[in-house]
């Protein structure tokens, strides 16, 4: 495995091999070391060979495994969803901060719309945090892709209580116009002509529908800024993820549409990654 991966140009073939074994067998690196002299049965070997073939085609480890870890929880992913990124956990933490601020009593549910939901990672991770704090959440998960919503449904059923969420296929906004306390969004923000230059794990094996933000990468931010106020309640907030280096342009778009720039949160690399807006 290692030699094949090395010859294929992978930077750390040992790490790649261990990750593939974990994806197929569920064995952690520690377990692999502990049981390294154990023989691998024929069926497992076949599955490992298939996984290696997929990795050589630059399919990512999470998509080979069918899941990814996000905010401490295991989320199903597929070819129809993006693999949730670690920096997006910042958005979840910030949304949870505003949910707690908004939460007044156990009788009042905080309504949250997670649009462009993808695998559902943002909204569901937020729902898990709220459940642990006994905060009642009324969660709506929206995506335009029915295939992605099949993945969302599996994740929500496994990780949330049945009565705390609903799923809707729609173009950004739910069909029923209502005012939400919090809207979260991680829209497509890659420039159309830059997608092909991304790492092949992304450009060739993640859905372009979830990547393509138009010629300048800002198409969906313009729509969120223009249309979002109709779906936000009094004192509500809209919390967005921004692509690296896009924050200033996004803030200009929102301010020109009458929004207030409430807060900006930087990621570990120093980019302004999460932006919070209100209409107050």
């Amino acid at each position: 495995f290692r030699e094949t991966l090395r010859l294929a140009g992978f930077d750390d073939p040992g790490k790649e091999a261990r990750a593939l074994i974990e994806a197929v067998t569920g064995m952690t690196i520690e377990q692999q070391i502990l049981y390294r002299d154990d023989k691998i049965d024929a069926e497992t070997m076949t599955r490992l060979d298939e996984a290696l073939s997929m990795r050589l085609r630059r399919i990512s480890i999470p998509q080979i495994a069918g899941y990814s870890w996000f905010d401490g929880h295991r989320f199903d992913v597929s070819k129809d969803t993006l693999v949730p990124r670690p920096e997006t956990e910042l958005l979840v933490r910030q949304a949870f901060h505003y949910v707690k601020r908004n939460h007044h009593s156990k009788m009042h549910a905080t309504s949250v719309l997670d649009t462009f939901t993808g695998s559902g990672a943002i909204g569901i991770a937020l729902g898990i945090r709220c459940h642990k704090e006994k905060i009642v959440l009324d969660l709506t998960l929206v995506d335009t892709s029915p295939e992605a919503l099949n993945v969302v449904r599996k994740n929500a059923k496994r990780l949330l209580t049945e009565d705390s969420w609903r799923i809707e296929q729609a173009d950004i906004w739910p069909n029923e116009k209502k005012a939400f306390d919090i809207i979260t969004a991680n829209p497509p923000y890659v420039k159309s002509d830059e997608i092909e230059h991304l790492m092949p794990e992304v450009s060739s094996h993640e859905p372009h529908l979830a990547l393509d933000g138009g010629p300048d990468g800002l198409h969906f931010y313009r729509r969120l800024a223009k249309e979002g106020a109709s779906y936000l309640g009094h004192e509500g907030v809209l919390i967005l993820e921004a692509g690296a280096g896009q924050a200033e342009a996004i803030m200009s778009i929102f301010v020109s549409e009458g929004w207030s720039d409430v807060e900006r949160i930087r990621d570990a690399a120093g980019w302004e990654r999460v932006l919070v807006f209100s209409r107050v």
Side-chain angles (χ1 to χ4, degrees), residues 129-144:
R129 285 175 175 247
C130 290
H131 181 71
K132 287 179 179 177
E133 296 284 329
K134 295 183 169 54
I135 296 172
V136 182
L137 203 65
D138 176 15
L139 176 63
T140 302
L141 301 154
V142 169
D143 203 280
T144 190

Side-chain angles (χ1 to χ4, degrees), residues 171-191:
D171 176 29
I172 303 183
W173 309 112
N175 295 315
E176 178 189 349
K177 185 170 282 191
K178 62 173 278 189
F180 291 89
D181 296 313
I182 294 168
I183 299 172
T184 57
N186 183 12
Y189 55 63
V190 181
K191 294 178 181 178

